[in-house]
């Protein structure tokens, strides 16, 4: 425990962490104030060294493998909460500074998505059986940040509000054509077709998502107006009145920002505009956390706004509007985690214990990243000319009110 104790003494300042080592000896860290008290047990000596050398990855793997055990009825959320309120102390440790420097030096190799590899990376996350996601997503099957009029809004109502919010920003009229980059399970494409009479061409790299979205279009009676395709967005042709991309930019790869914005420009008809919804970081450009990179979103990268706007400058793209959704994803993921916890036994029966431990860690860590970390969500309206989008934002709320009055969902 000597190396790990050295790290934890400098790291844990708020709250208290008690570690029971492989021999059963207790080691305490932290003041016990301004945070929770958490007790964990490490089952073997090797895991102590592993966590010291790479805590963000090896803590997750140790929990997944049962080598890190939560004691006293605690959950891994409690451990990650303690981590999240002490995160600055971890980054300041000399070994961790060197580790982060090494990650930054290879980030363009680790977080890239050329044609071919992009499909493999997307399928890693989304070709889990849809029945697993149905356990804990709301009935819209929307797997991206919701839009909360109030923190007390239900998850379903917040996802409907998100669809209305996006639709209002797109300023659609019957007969228009829409390109959607990243279809998810089809909620937005079918919503736009049903409520506006537009024609939607939507692409995804996930066969599972594409199949679910196609069936959804049939079930909702809009299969003649929504074309869901298993296709890389870079291969999509034609021009459209509107382009929309929700929670897709995070998956394009760190070297593909210019390609992405140029493609959006090429797809957008003169006078039209596009909407991009993406997770961002308020900190400078960084790297993807090793656990997320290895197990959850290989090739994924959350950009800093400085990277996003630099790319828009290089590609000659007007930012007609930028909205920051700071806490909306925290509320969303909190709802997901609570729904997942409530049906965890079913998830274990479906996917196995190690997989579900991985998702315990994933959902808790990303929820806390939006509460205590640097993550947030932004929405951009993009255009070729400065006046393709109204210069006053009233049009958004006016259309949202209309959609609410008619009960659009």
């Amino acid at each position: 425990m000597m190396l790990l104790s050295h790290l934890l003494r400098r790291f844990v300042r708020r709250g208290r962490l008690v570690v029971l080592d492989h021999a059963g000896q207790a080691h305490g860290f932290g003041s016990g104030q301004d945070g929770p008290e958490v007790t964990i047990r490490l089952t073997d000596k090797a895991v102590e060294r592993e966590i010291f050398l790479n805590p963000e990855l090896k803590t997750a793997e140790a929990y997944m493998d049962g080598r890190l055990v939560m004691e006293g009825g605690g959950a891994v959320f409690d451990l990650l909460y303690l981590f999240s309120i002490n995160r600055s102390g971890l980054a300041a440790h000399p070994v961790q500074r060197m580790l982060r420097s090494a990650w930054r030096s290879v980030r363009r190799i680790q977080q890239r998505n050329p044609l071919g590899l992009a499909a493999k990376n997307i399928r890693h996350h989304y070709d889990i059986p849809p029945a697993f996601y149905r356990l804990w997503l709301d009935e819209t099957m929307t797997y991206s940040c919701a839009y909360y009029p109030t923190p007390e809004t239900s998850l379903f109502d917040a996802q409907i509000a998100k669809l209305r919010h996006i639709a209002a920003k797109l300023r659609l009229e019957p007969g228009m054509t829409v390109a959607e980059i990243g279809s998810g399970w089809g909620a937005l494409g079918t919503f736009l077709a049903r409520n506006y009479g537009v024609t939607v061409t939507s692409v995804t790299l996930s066969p599972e998502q594409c199949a679910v979205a196609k069936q959804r279009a049939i079930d909702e009676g809009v299969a003649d107006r929504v074309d869901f395709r298993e296709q890389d967005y870079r291969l999509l042709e034609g021009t459209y009145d509107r382009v929309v991309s929700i929670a897709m930019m995070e998956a394009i790869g760190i070297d593909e920002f210019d390609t992405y914005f140029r493609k959006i420009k090429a797809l957008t008809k003169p006078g039209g505009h596009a909407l991009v919804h993406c997770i961002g970081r308020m900190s400078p450009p960084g790297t993807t956390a090793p656990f997320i990179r290895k197990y959850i979103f290989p090739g994924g990268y959350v950009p800093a706004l400085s990277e996003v706007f630099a790319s828009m400058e290089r590609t000659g793209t007007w930012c007609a509007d930028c909205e920051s959704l700071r806490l909306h994803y925290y509320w969303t993921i909190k709802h997901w985690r609570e729904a997942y916890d409530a049906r965890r036994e079913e998830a274990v029966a479906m996917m196995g214990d190690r997989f579900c431990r991985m998702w315990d860690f994933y959902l808790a860590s990303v929820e806390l990243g939006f509460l205590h970390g640097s993550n947030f969500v932004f929405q951009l309206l993009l255009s070729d000319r400065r006046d393709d989008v109204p210069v006053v934002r009233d049009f958004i709320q006016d259309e949202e009110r209309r959609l609410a009055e008619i009960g659009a969902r």
Side-chain angles (χ1 to χ4, degrees):
M1 275 291 294
M2 183 173 66
L3 288 175
L4 184 56
S5 293
H6 184 265
L7 172 65
L8 294 176
R9 276 195 298 271
R10 297 186 59 169
F11 169 35
V12 182
R13 301 296 177 88
R14 300 172 59 188
R16 183 165 176 80
L17 175 65
V18 176
V19 179
L20 304 178
D21 66 20
H22 70 286
Q25 184 177 352
H27 307 262
F29 307 93
S31 66
Q33 299 180 359
D34 301 322
E37 179 167 330
V38 178
T39 301
I40 63 173
R41 177 168 51 87
L42 303 178
T43 64
D44 61 82
K45 189 174 180 60
V47 74
E48 299 166 6
R49 182 178 63 257
E50 292 168 11
I51 292 175
F52 167 76
L53 292 172
N54 193 347
E56 292 179 75
L57 176 61
K58 295 303 180 178
T59 300
E61 290 183 334
Y63 174 73
M64 290 161 58
D65 294 333
R67 299 168 70 202
L68 184 158
V69 180
M70 302 303 303
E71 294 285 302
V76 75
F77 179 89
D78 304 319
L79 176 62
L80 291 171
Y81 188 95
L82 186 70
F83 165 81
S84 72
I85 62 174
N86 287 285
R87 63 175 61 240
S88 60
L90 178 63
H93 191 276
V95 173
Q96 300 309 309
R97 285 204 304 269
M98 289 190 293
L99 187 60
R100 281 163 171 72
S101 178
W103 291 341
R104 284 192 293 271
S105 69
V106 296
R107 72 182 193 135
R108 294 195 178 279
I109 297 172
Q110 294 174 331
Q111 292 150 212
R112 57 192 295 271
N113 274 310
L115 283 166
L117 180 59
K120 179 182 177 182
N121 285 339
I122 287 293
R123 290 168 186 169
H124 176 91
H125 189 77
Y126 292 103
D127 283 358
I128 298 166
F132 170 73
Y133 289 100
R134 287 195 181 98
L135 288 176
W136 47 273
L137 293 178
D138 73 288
E139 62 191 81
T140 71
M141 280 287 283
T142 302
Y143 187 38
S144 58
C145 178
Y147 185 73
Y148 285 78
T150 71
E152 294 74 33
T153 300
S154 72
L155 176 61
F156 173 76
D157 287 342
Q159 291 292 10
I160 295 298
K162 190 263 290 290
L163 297 176
R164 294 172 180 169
H165 194 58
I166 291 167
K169 289 186 175 186
L170 290 173
R171 300 188 72 230
L172 297 168
E173 297 176 6
M176 280 186 170
T177 56
V178 179
E180 183 183 19
I181 298 173
S183 64
W185 281 285
L188 178 61
T190 57
F191 178 90
L192 298 180
R194 280 187 289 102
N195 288 288
Y196 288 94
V198 297
T199 300
V200 180
T201 302
S202 181
V203 297
T204 176
L205 287 172
S206 166
E208 289 278 6
Q209 285 194 328
C210 193
V212 171
K214 284 182 175 181
Q215 186 59 51
R216 181 184 201 134
I218 294 170
D219 294 342
E220 296 184 13
V222 292
D224 59 329
R225 280 180 278 144
V226 188
D227 179 14
F228 290 110
R229 303 177 184 176
E230 186 185 334
Q231 183 182 35
D232 193 293
Y233 79 95
R234 287 166 286 195
L235 302 179
L236 183 61
E237 301 294 336
T239 56
Y240 302 82
D241 296 295
R242 301 289 187 265
V243 178
V244 61
S245 182
I246 308 301
M248 170 63 185
M249 188 177 175
E250 306 93 321
I252 63 175
I254 198 167
D255 288 326
E256 298 293 330
F257 296 151
D258 289 8
T259 300
Y260 179 73
F261 286 120
R262 287 193 182 104
K263 189 62 179 180
I264 288 174
K265 283 174 66 75
L267 292 171
T268 308
K269 289 181 180 179
H273 65 271
L275 184 151
V276 169
H277 167 120
C278 181
I279 300 170
R281 64 179 78 211
M282 56 77 68
S283 56
T287 60
T288 302
F291 165 70
I292 298 294
R293 184 172 68 238
K294 182 175 181 178
Y295 288 100
I296 308 299
F297 291 112
Y301 175 67
V302 170
L305 281 180
S306 58
E307 295 172 290
V308 174
F309 279 87
S311 180
M312 290 166 57
E313 291 169 4
R314 291 191 296 268
T315 56
T317 303
W318 270 101
C319 177
D321 189 77
C322 178
E323 181 178 12
S324 173
L325 306 180
R326 287 151 291 142
L327 283 169
H328 293 258
Y329 217 168
Y330 162 65
W331 294 322
T332 304
I333 300 173
K334 186 174 186 292
H335 270 132
W336 288 345
R337 180 180 60 81
E338 291 171 348
Y340 170 79
D341 287 346
R343 303 190 68 178
R344 193 178 183 282
E345 289 186 9
E346 295 171 73
V348 171
M350 183 185 301
M351 303 300 298
D353 186 64
R354 188 176 190 271
F355 178 92
C356 290
R357 284 173 173 268
M358 180 177 73
W359 276 75
D360 294 341
F361 203 94
Y362 163 54
L363 290 173
S365 62
V366 293
E367 176 186 336
L368 293 166
F370 282 92
L371 179 63
H372 294 141
S374 64
N375 287 349
F376 69 107
V377 169
F378 60 87
Q379 289 185 351
L380 305 175
L381 293 183
L382 311 176
S383 60
D384 196 45
R385 302 175 304 187
R386 73 184 72 214
D387 58 350
D388 287 331
V389 175
V391 295
V392 177
R393 302 183 83 248
D394 293 3
F395 74 95
I396 301 171
Q397 289 188 335
D398 290 345
E399 179 63 3
E400 285 180 292
R401 291 191 189 100
R402 186 190 74 82
L403 290 169
E405 288 172 0
I406 65 173
R409 57 181 56 199

